[in-house]
Amino acid sequence: MADGILIVDKPAGWTSMDVCAKLRGILKERRVGHGGTLDPMATGVLPVFVGQATRAAEFAENSQKEYMGGLRLGTVTDTQDITGTVLEQRPVSLDREAVEAALSSFRGEIQQIPPMYSAVKIQGEKLYTLARKGKEVERPPRSVTIYALELLEQESETDYRFRCVCSKGTYIRTLCHDLGQVLGCGGTLYALRRTMAAGFRDSEAVTLEAVQERGAALLRPLDSLFARYGALKLSAAAERRVRCGNAVSTAAADGTYRVYGQDGSFLCLSQARNGTLSSLKNFFGASASR
């Protein structure tokens, strides 16, 4: 059975669920889920969890992401990116310094109103379903965090390339839209690539064609998702207690750890505090050890 993580380089034009459906067919495994949606126009890092590894998808969804994007000033669309219908075209008479100055108000914790063309649910119905019916509803703003936001290059009078590191739930196209409103000329997203998610870089990602050729051989072990944490190997007695759902004593410093059994199998992600090791998430039986 296939268990583990695939770091897929999502192609443009595919939804994240399209990728999962394709992988279910290739790997002959129905338990396939992704760790954070990418819009169809976007490319780049899509962590995909297979088999018992799907139990860890929440950790990827909640992680920081890095994007390389394209901001087009002077254009406003209904989807906040260039795939949508153009609502406004405005003249642009701004230089790079003015754009860079405007970025400062979008760093740190900010409020975003989810776009109508999104999978956010209002009263049980997805916003994009309402949008396709020509409806617009009030959406409460959400707090997101922008850890880094910088211009990389100016490609034309209206087009800028930028880098953004952000928290879960951030809409990069909304960032472009809102930036355009602050600048007074409107803005939309014309290109997007996710270059990092869940600690994995796009240099590590594999294409769907590669998965088609090599299949489960490309699966990463589940514990690779937690590589930034230290590792602890339990004694036989402590392993028995952990497998029964109990906390155990530890000499480890306070912090989060990957915890392994006597045979090297990955048991759980745990937290050490004041000499006690408690499980945050158990992964017994997952094909996940290095």
Side-chain angles (χ1 to χ4, degrees):
M1 295 177 63
D3 289 297
I5 305 171
L6 281 170
I7 309 305
V8 176
D9 190 337
K10 190 191 82 64
W14 288 60
T15 69
S16 300
M17 292 308 296
D18 288 340
V19 172
C20 290
K22 179 70 172 178
L23 294 175
R24 288 188 190 102
I26 294 173
L27 299 173
K28 310 302 181 187
E29 170 59 63
R30 64 177 180 81
R31 294 169 300 170
V32 176
H34 62 77
T37 302
L38 272 177
D39 287 342
M41 73 169 281
T43 65
V45 178
L46 182 68
V48 177
F49 296 79
V50 180
Q52 295 198 60
T54 53
R55 295 161 61 192
E58 64 188 273
F59 293 95
E61 292 172 352
N62 294 329
S63 68
Q64 291 185 19
K65 280 87 173 175
E66 179 188 70
Y67 296 90
M68 302 298 173
L71 164 67
R72 178 162 295 159
L73 297 177
T75 301
V76 178
T77 73
D78 59 352
T79 60
Q80 301 180 347
D81 61 33
I82 58 166
T83 69
T85 300
V86 175
L87 303 177
E88 295 180 65
Q89 292 275 190
R90 303 178 192 170
V92 178
S93 56
L94 299 165
D95 57 18
R96 177 170 180 153
E97 288 69 28
V99 178
E100 287 183 330
L103 296 184
S104 61
S105 62
F106 291 92
R107 298 187 181 105
E109 186 173 324
I110 65 171
Q111 297 292 305
Q112 275 194 340
I113 296 175
M116 280 301 301
Y117 282 89
S118 68
V120 172
K121 288 184 177 180
I122 298 292
Q123 295 183 340
E125 193 161 12
K126 291 181 178 179
L127 287 175
Y128 66 70
T129 301
L130 296 172
R132 288 167 182 166
K133 296 176 181 177
K135 299 178 181 179
E136 183 164 351
V137 298
E138 185 174 350
R139 291 95 69 199
R142 296 179 166 194
S143 292
V144 298
T145 303
I146 308 297
Y147 300 101
L149 181 60
E150 59 177 331
L151 291 185
L152 301 177
E153 61 179 316
Q154 182 174 358
E155 296 191 319
S156 70
E157 184 180 20
T158 60
D159 292 0
Y160 292 83
R161 289 278 180 173
F162 65 91
R163 169 181 172 268
C164 179
V165 181
C166 56
S167 67
K168 170 190 176 181
T170 303
Y171 286 93
I172 304 299
R173 51 196 165 98
T174 299
L175 183 66
C176 290
H177 173 84
D178 293 349
L179 181 58
Q181 295 304 302
V182 167
L183 290 167
C185 60
T188 194
L189 179 74
Y190 72 86
L192 186 64
R193 180 168 179 78
R194 187 155 70 191
T195 49
M196 186 274 291
F200 297 105
R201 308 290 314 185
D202 57 348
S203 59
E204 304 173 79
V206 297
T207 64
L208 288 174
E209 290 79 10
V211 182
Q212 184 75 64
E213 291 177 7
R214 300 182 59 192
L218 292 175
L219 285 167
R220 292 168 173 264
L222 174 53
D223 58 348
S224 65
L225 179 65
F226 307 115
R228 63 189 180 279
Y229 300 122
L232 295 177
K233 185 175 181 180
L234 299 180
S235 66
E239 180 179 349
R240 285 193 294 272
R241 286 186 56 79
V242 166
R243 286 186 178 275
C244 290
N246 298 311
V248 295
S249 298
T250 183
D254 287 1
T256 302
Y257 293 90
R258 291 172 284 131
V259 176
Y260 296 85
Q262 285 285 291
D263 63 355
S265 60
F266 178 47
L267 299 178
C268 50
L269 186 70
S270 296
Q271 184 175 59
R273 180 173 294 176
N274 299 326
T276 299
L277 187 68
S278 303
S279 174
L280 297 173
K281 183 83 170 185
N282 292 327
F283 299 105
F284 305 151
S287 177
S289 61
R290 284 190 179 278

